[in-house]
Amino acid sequence: KTAMQIVEIMKVMEARHPVVMATRVSAEKSAEIQAALPQATYFEVARICAIQPSVPLAIRPGKLSILTAGTADLPVAEGAAVTAELCGFQVTRLWDVGVAGIHRLLSNRHVIDQSDVLIVAAGMEGALPSVVAGLADCPVVAVPTSVGYGASFNGLAPLLTMLNSCATGIG
């Protein structure tokens, strides 16, 4: 969509909904949107342009944590984090806690134990969601990303790893 198409859509939706989001928005497009809708906020890493209510939404119950295997997974994970926060959830972020440095994940075991839902983004081989699900007693949303090199096949390898996981609780 063009920036002006997004502006028109956001105007219509703003009249009906407290939160309006446009995803996969470039910084250039965001500047055009914000020129027309100064109340819009741009979340650069997540590539989300959003209109938020003037009064924050009530905080929803539950503890949501989002983890990434590596820093290359940040745009996808930050998109999930921003979306959840715009919907009223409190989010704990654990970035770069992949299996290549498992000590970083294990030193944050308390976050996993205290979470009601975990969203785990990973590229490369996509092993992190299985490891996390093996440690957690809550649902784990596995999110393959298309980052990586070698035989990751633009995200196909992590997707297949996640689909073939034998750990319980993965969706």
Side-chain angles (χ1 to χ4, degrees):
K1 294 179 178 51
T2 67
M4 287 307 109
Q5 288 170 328
I6 294 170
V7 166
E8 291 307 313
I9 292 167
M10 291 180 96
K11 282 180 181 177
V12 170
M13 292 183 75
E14 183 181 20
R16 298 179 183 151
H17 302 284
V19 176
V20 180
M21 289 178 23
T23 60
R24 297 183 157 225
V25 176
S26 68
E28 297 79 24
K29 233 179 237 187
S30 172
E32 290 181 61
I33 294 167
Q34 288 178 299
L37 297 170
Q39 70 274 34
T41 303
Y42 185 59
F43 300 89
E44 186 174 3
V45 176
R47 296 181 58 208
I48 291 175
C49 193
I51 298 173
Q52 303 171 67
S54 55
V55 176
L57 297 176
I59 294 175
R60 294 183 183 267
K63 295 184 180 190
L64 173 64
S65 297
I66 303 177
L67 294 72
T68 68
T71 55
D73 304 311
L74 280 175
V76 171
E78 191 60 24
V82 168
T83 299
E85 288 172 338
L86 288 171
C87 292
F89 291 96
Q90 289 185 315
V91 175
T92 299
R93 293 164 168 83
L94 289 180
W95 296 162
D96 199 19
V97 293
V99 298
I102 197 76
H103 62 284
R104 295 185 303 255
L105 177 66
L106 297 177
S107 69
N108 285 289
R109 177 72 192 263
H110 64 284
V111 174
I112 294 169
D113 293 340
Q114 295 169 358
S115 296
D116 296 308
V117 175
L118 295 158
I119 298 174
V120 184
M124 297 299 293
E125 81 285 355
L128 185 61
S130 293
V131 172
V132 170
L135 297 169
D137 64 354
C138 65
V140 174
V141 179
V143 182
T145 65
S146 59
V147 298
Y149 48 85
S152 68
F153 298 110
N154 294 319
L156 181 60
L159 171 64
L160 294 175
T161 297
M162 293 172 195
L163 288 173
N164 289 311
S165 176
C166 62
T168 58
I170 291 184

